[in-house]
Amino acid sequence: MDGVYIRFVRDGWGSKKLSKTQIIRMMDAGIECRTIFPLRFPRIFSTLNNRDHCKIVVIDKKEAFTGGINIGFEYTGLKPGVGYWRDTHVRITGEASADLQRIFEAHWNIASPERMRERSRMKTKTEKDRSRIIPSTSTNLSSMTELSTELGTIDRKDANSVPIGEKTHHAFVQTFEGNPEIPTPVIREAYFTALIQATKTIDITTPYFVPDQDILMGLKTAVARGVRVRLLVPRKVNQKPVEYASFTFYGELLEAGVQIYLYNKGMLHAKSMVIDEEVTEIGAANYDMRSFRLNYEVCEFIYSKDVARDLTEQFEQDLCDSVPLRMDDLLQRSPSQRLIQQGARLLFPLL
């Protein structure tokens, strides 16, 4: 370490597979660790339904990353049984990164410090004097004046691939935070507003599509006023109940004129939206009630034609690895498939 102060916060349920051994190794290295809503009795009964779904990295209070990418083996595309993984993340530099810093601080303050009964005997040592490293304290940085965004789309075939030719664009960035303690579902309202204000095109990429009636109506009325609406979802979802429930919404959308495509190359986990090739949204929130009302979520609305063009090009590229969903495909479902899917839809407020 070079004296960098590192803080790590995880969700208790989402990171339940992270072993205590790993946490101890991180703490022994000087990383301060906390957990939001840890799986501890009796608190677990009051907080189990509220999860921290945000993916945030902030560096030196000047640079921030957010989007759909978690820290996990499956995101490398090398995990057996999972295979190819498609995701999208955004890098933000300048004043706009302060919003993500503020959200991180808020989550850090409600998180619980790790309580390890036994600390590891491991000692992290430097190569020079073999002495144990002591973490330094954080310091205040000067205010930021530049506003810019850098868009990066992660499309990996192996764990060692590095994005080439990254583009940096200047843009206005607006951060939306979803919080179960806020009466108004802010991210849902932002999505709905974007849909009803679109005049030309709407391109949506999402892995989990279990919307409420207002979002459905926003999509259908957009088509009715002449907007081209395209929805890209994975052919196979890693959460089967969500996959089953999603198919019950596709019929009415196809009838309304929404174009639906099933990504066939692997797991599609990206969450993005492009409106009129001018405004883009990238974040962690899905199109479901859990993201809208139960989870801690974050997403970025980016106002830039250049960024919108990059996302549109990525959308078109993804369509090359997708197949269009037809009404005949839905009609060919067996009675048992329809029964399972309708049963999953009954549970969709909890998915």
Side-chain angles (χ1 to χ4, degrees), residues 73 75-78 154-164:
F73 188 28
Y75 291 81
T76 66
L78 301 176
I154 304 302
D155 188 353
R156 305 186 183 188
K157 292 184 179 180
D158 59 71
N160 298 317
S161 62
V162 177
I164 298 175

Side-chain angles (χ1 to χ4, degrees), residues 103-146:
I103 294 173
F104 179 90
E105 296 291 349
H107 291 192
W108 181 259
N109 290 334
I110 67 173
S112 303
E114 293 291 348
R115 297 187 304 183
M116 297 299 174
R117 294 181 179 178
E118 296 181 2
R119 294 297 305 275
S120 169
R121 295 182 180 178
M122 294 167 43
K123 304 294 183 181
T124 304
K125 302 177 183 295
T126 63
E127 292 184 0
K128 291 184 177 180
D129 58 9
R130 308 300 293 175
S131 61
R132 187 171 181 178
I133 295 174
I134 300 176
S136 63
T137 57
S138 60
T139 57
N140 294 326
L141 302 177
S142 59
S143 60
M144 296 163 286
T145 58
E146 182 184 6

Side-chain angles (χ1 to χ4, degrees), residues 22 27 83 86 140 167 265 320 332:
Q22 291 293 96
M27 295 172 66
R86 238 295 278 132
N140 294 326
K167 300 178 182 178
K265 189 175 181 179
C320 296
Q332 292 176 3

Side-chain angles (χ1 to χ4, degrees), residues 165-202:
E166 292 181 343
K167 300 178 182 178
T168 301
H169 303 299
H170 290 271
F172 292 101
V173 180
Q174 188 175 14
T175 300
F176 288 87
E177 178 186 6
N179 189 321
E181 298 178 1
I182 301 175
T184 302
V186 177
I187 292 181
R188 174 192 170 279
E189 296 300 318
Y191 284 5
F192 181 73
T193 301
L195 295 178
I196 64 175
Q197 291 186 348
T199 60
K200 296 182 295 185
T201 60
I202 299 173

